[in-house]
Amino acid sequence: MKYPLPSRRLVLTAILVSISLLNSLALAQKLETTSSDKKNSGVMLSLIEINPADLLFGRYRIAHENLILDGLSFSWIGEVQDSLANRNYVERNLATGVSLQYYPQSISLDGLFLRGESDIALSEVSEGSVGRRQAESGKAATLRIAGDIGWRVRLSERLTGSAAYGLRTTLPQTLWNSNSQLTQRWLIQKSDNPDARVQINLGVLL
């Protein structure tokens, strides 16, 4: 099933509303704590995070984020895309990778953050028939990169929430493929349509 891509205005509105709601929750949380509690409970060393909305798109994603320096964290990422239809192509992906997050206004995993991400994806791609060309399928290993901007807040002692918006793209050269012509056509189509993604994540502190 092909899911329509949201308009840019709708995407930006969703991320702004989400950040506003999360910021309001953070303010309420701070008003309920003393200054000493803030100092002790504001430091988050490690968390596991998921985006429940991904299930609507047949996507299963998990990230394990760890603070390594003040305001800088490192994450392991795993993602499975059950089925993604885009124009004449249907793809299934299994990916794993890493990301770095920078929190310019905080020494812990809190507030505004910038994220850079890279992963290796193994994809199974099917192309429908076009004119005289018959339907084809193939597999490919590719390198994907992404960039996000977002906001994270503490929702409770053990829960966090974050809203982020960013772009994802697949590099035009494959690491391996079983059908070079199909893969090249698929990558050209993907490079013309980068994946704009809104993420509303829930995290559990470890």
Side-chain angles (χ1 to χ4, degrees), residues 65-137:
E65 185 172 348
N66 295 274
L67 187 69
I68 53 177
L69 293 172
D70 289 349
L72 186 66
S73 67
F74 172 85
S75 294
W76 291 103
I77 301 163
E79 181 177 300
V80 176
Q81 178 76 61
D82 182 49
S83 180
L84 178 64
N86 197 342
R87 296 187 180 179
N88 201 42
Y89 298 93
V90 177
E91 61 185 85
R92 302 178 65 181
N93 300 309
L94 174 63
T96 184
V98 296
S99 70
L100 282 176
Q101 291 76 216
Y102 173 56
Y103 295 80
Q105 300 175 338
S106 173
I107 62 172
S108 64
L109 311 184
D110 202 6
L112 176 70
F113 64 85
L114 304 173
R115 175 165 57 213
E117 181 178 312
S118 177
D119 62 38
I120 295 176
L122 179 61
S123 303
E124 181 179 348
V125 183
S126 299
E127 181 185 24
S129 59
V130 178
R132 295 182 178 180
R133 190 168 64 226
Q134 300 297 316
E136 293 185 67
S137 63

Side-chain angles (χ1 to χ4, degrees), residues 119-193:
D119 62 38
I120 295 176
L122 179 61
S123 303
E124 181 179 348
V125 183
S126 299
E127 181 185 24
S129 59
V130 178
R132 295 182 178 180
R133 190 168 64 226
Q134 300 297 316
E136 293 185 67
S137 63
K139 297 180 180 179
T142 58
L143 182 64
R144 309 188 304 187
I145 57 175
D148 296 307
I149 181 170
W151 191 275
R152 183 187 302 285
V153 299
R154 287 288 293 272
L155 301 177
S156 69
E157 183 179 354
R158 285 288 180 181
L159 295 178
T160 75
S162 70
Y165 174 76
L167 293 176
R168 280 153 175 74
T169 188
T170 301
L171 297 186
Q173 298 297 325
T174 62
L175 303 176
W176 168 85
N177 69 81
S178 64
N179 187 330
S180 59
Q181 293 186 350
L182 166 65
T183 300
Q184 190 60 38
R185 294 194 299 269
W186 169 62
L187 288 175
I188 290 174
Q189 183 269 330
K190 287 186 72 67
S191 64
D192 291 339
N193 298 275

Side-chain angles (χ1 to χ4, degrees), residues 48-60:
I48 291 180
E49 189 174 56
I50 62 170
N51 180 3
D54 278 343
L55 300 179
L56 297 175
F57 301 94
R59 184 186 302 125
Y60 308 87

